[in-house]
Amino acid sequence: MQNPKHSLLMEIVLDHPETYPDEFVHYISENLNVYDAFEREAFKVINRGYSHYSARTIIEVLRHHSNLSDNTEKWKLADHPMPYLSRLFAAHHPAHANLFSYRTTNLEKAQKLKE
């Protein structure tokens, strides 16, 4: 049985192809544990009183912890999903949508060229 939160996250991603490229859809479907960890770290930052923070810093913290972990399962923490993890966090937690700054993604640039 799939985790209800994970089902909701996949629904958000699949319902917004203009925001999440196919590559991210594939990535997140196999790495929801990475989103869970990203979310936990984001809430640690929020609970410390920050109203703005870097998604890149959170990814680097996760990468660091993953590399030092005794767990044999190493996480796939490439840079390409980073902008989409922060956008997914914002969609999942709209009250904290301004925690991260958002640059224009390659997907958004390509969509503008089509217009």
Side-chain angles (χ1 to χ4, degrees):
M1 181 181 199
Q2 189 171 9
N3 178 326
K5 180 180 91 173
H6 289 173
S7 295
L8 174 62
L9 292 171
M10 289 310 301
E11 184 178 319
I12 291 168
V13 169
L14 294 171
D15 285 350
H16 297 282
E18 73 283 359
T19 303
Y20 306 103
D22 292 340
E23 182 180 64
F24 181 74
V25 173
H26 178 74
Y27 171 85
I28 200 65
S29 68
E30 295 183 356
N31 295 284
L32 285 161
N33 59 324
V34 173
Y35 175 82
D36 291 339
F38 182 91
E39 180 184 51
R40 273 192 308 276
E41 291 301 318
F43 275 112
K44 285 180 186 177
V45 166
I46 290 165
N47 291 334
R48 291 292 302 220
Y50 288 88
S51 59
H52 190 77
Y53 206 74
S54 167
R56 178 173 299 279
T57 299
I58 291 175
I59 291 292
E60 293 300 335
V61 165
L62 295 177
R63 188 175 284 145
H64 172 77
H65 288 296
S66 175
N67 287 338
L68 296 180
S69 169
D70 289 336
N71 189 349
T72 57
E73 177 188 349
K74 295 296 179 198
W75 291 355
K76 294 179 186 175
L77 292 169
D79 289 337
H80 73 274
M82 184 176 8
Y84 306 108
L85 284 171
S86 59
R87 283 168 171 77
L88 182 55
F89 179 84
H92 189 215
H93 302 286
H96 303 292
N98 293 324
L99 181 63
F100 305 110
S101 293
Y102 304 98
R103 295 182 181 159
T104 303
T105 64
N106 290 336
L107 179 62
E108 291 166 337
K109 289 175 187 173
Q111 289 169 343
K112 287 181 184 180
L113 288 175
K114 289 181 184 179
E115 294 175 353

